Amino acid sequence: MKSILDGRAALKAEVDKVAEVAGYLWQNGWAERNGGNITVNVTEYVDDEIRNLPAISEVKQIGVTLPALKGTYFYCKGTGKRMRDLARKPMDNGSIIRILDDCASYVIIADNAVNPTSELPSHLTVHAHLIESGSSYKATVHTHPIELVAMSHNRKFLAKDVLTNILWSMIPETKAFCPLGLGVVPYELPGSNKLADATLKELEDYDVVLWEKHGVFAKGLDVMDAFDQIDVLSKSAKIYINSRAMGYEPEGMSQAQMKEMSVAFNLPK
Ligand code: 13P
Ligand code: ZN
């Protein structure tokens, strides 16, 4: 079957990266059933032929109006689709959508009429803000990392930057490669506009936020960058939990050692 990716190496490379990351999410045990979703702003790869492609779905409402998204295009994981399937067949388990001129609705244009993720309000609200702020970030990832979600069940970890400091102090790399830390979004209904609004607000200060008792949501330059930040945080959470499982509270790097890291690596915090 003909695909929109045929003859478009740059667009195909972006979708291939989504498939690669989808495989990592599954291998990590973060993507049970249809858990998690990925969207990528692919507007820069859109040519006149794509712009003229007819809709292959009816017009669908986003649920929010996002003026910055006028004329933009996104690759979106399909709702109910499995990451482990997407890893092999990204265009059967996701689709490319065009945001319409009212900035409140969209159509699917390729390859198949796979309905986008139920978390589209969160993804598109964040993409709109990234465009408005002139950011070069193009990808957003939501997934269910076991240890980080487990930590979100303890209220004492949910106060501002408590988790950030614990996770940074487990291994130097976490501060270096997730330099803004981990924000916390109090529980909201999955797929809701309230969750989207709370996510947007918290992402002003962080690249990765923890959705209480649900998962994480990250933004990045591309899908690999967003994944890497979740991965380093998850690694720290594993070290913390392994230490606790061995019967002790891990010492953690000292504040002086973490300050030294910030100076040596020119980190923002
Ligand atoms: P979708 O299958 O609609 O992407 O939903 C998965 C999920 O993790 C919702 O939070
Ligand atoms: Zn989820």
Side-chain angles (χ1 to χ4, degrees):
M1 196 204 123
K2 208 177 137 30
S3 169
I4 193 173
L5 306 183
D6 295 343
R8 293 191 175 92
L11 177 60
K12 184 172 185 308
E14 287 309 307
V15 174
D16 284 349
K17 270 192 276 181
V18 174
E20 184 177 340
V21 165
Y24 300 154
L25 300 180
W26 164 250
Q27 286 158 13
N28 272 316
W30 301 350
E32 73 294 341
R33 200 175 181 276
N34 63 310
N37 23 77
I38 300 173
T39 65
V40 182
N41 182 345
V42 294
T43 313
E44 66 190 288
Y45 308 107
V46 167
D47 50 35
D48 284 345
E49 195 187 327
I50 295 181
R51 258 182 284 277
N52 290 321
L53 282 176
I56 57 170
S57 72
E58 72 274 27
V59 173
K60 295 164 186 286
Q61 299 304 311
I62 303 169
V64 272
T65 303
L66 300 163
L69 295 190
K70 189 169 176 171
T72 55
Y73 290 76
F74 294 88
Y75 172 86
C76 306
K77 192 205 85 154
T79 186
K81 299 297 186 186
R82 297 175 176 84
M83 288 295 179
R84 64 179 191 263
D85 293 336
L86 195 155
R88 287 175 293 113
K89 293 184 174 170
M91 294 308 289
D92 288 345
N93 295 281
S95 59
I96 293 186
I97 66 168
R98 170 193 296 139
I99 308 298
L100 300 182
D101 284 353
D102 66 0
C103 302
S105 61
Y106 66 91
V107 290
I108 304 169
I109 59 152
D111 283 344
N112 305 300
V114 175
N115 283 330
T117 171
S118 59
E119 301 290 1
L120 202 61
S122 284
H123 286 268
L124 291 186
T125 301
V126 171
H127 282 294
H129 184 72
L130 290 171
I131 293 169
E132 278 164 359
S133 56
S135 168
S136 41
Y137 282 25
K138 292 284 159 41
T140 50
V141 174
H142 161 57
T143 186
H144 301 164
I146 300 163
E147 293 83 0
L148 290 168
V149 176
M151 292 179 92
S152 82
H153 284 263
N154 186 341
R155 192 126 319 268
K156 82 170 190 218
F157 289 140
L158 300 181
K160 190 169 173 59
D161 285 334
V162 170
L163 264 180
T164 294
N165 280 302
I166 291 174
L167 297 173
W168 275 350
S169 77
M170 288 297 104
I171 176 171
E173 276 78 359
T174 300
K175 190 168 193 196
F177 298 121
C178 190
L180 300 177
L182 178 64
V184 175
V185 173
Y187 184 86
E188 294 288 355
L189 184 71
S192 64
N193 290 346
K194 273 172 124 177
L195 179 58
D197 289 343
T199 301
L200 179 68
K201 192 166 151 275
E202 195 68 1
L203 280 174
E204 280 175 19
D205 298 328
Y206 302 90
D207 277 349
V208 189
V209 297
L210 184 60
W211 284 355
E212 182 187 331
K213 304 181 183 106
H214 181 168
V216 298
F217 190 99
K219 58 182 159 82
L221 289 167
D222 65 0
V223 65
M224 213 56 85
D225 178 42
F227 170 78
D228 277 337
Q229 296 209 49
I230 302 168
D231 199 27
V232 294
L233 290 166
S234 168
K235 175 65 169 269
S236 277
K238 287 188 175 81
I239 294 167
Y240 179 82
I241 291 167
N242 272 278
S243 303
R244 295 298 303 251
M246 286 187 279
Y248 56 85
E249 179 77 27
E251 191 169 277
M253 295 156 59
S254 67
Q255 289 300 320
Q257 288 165 337
M258 293 213 280
K259 182 85 210 141
E260 185 189 24
M261 277 290 299
S262 299
V263 173
F265 288 82
N266 200 18
L267 303 174
K269 288 189 189 172

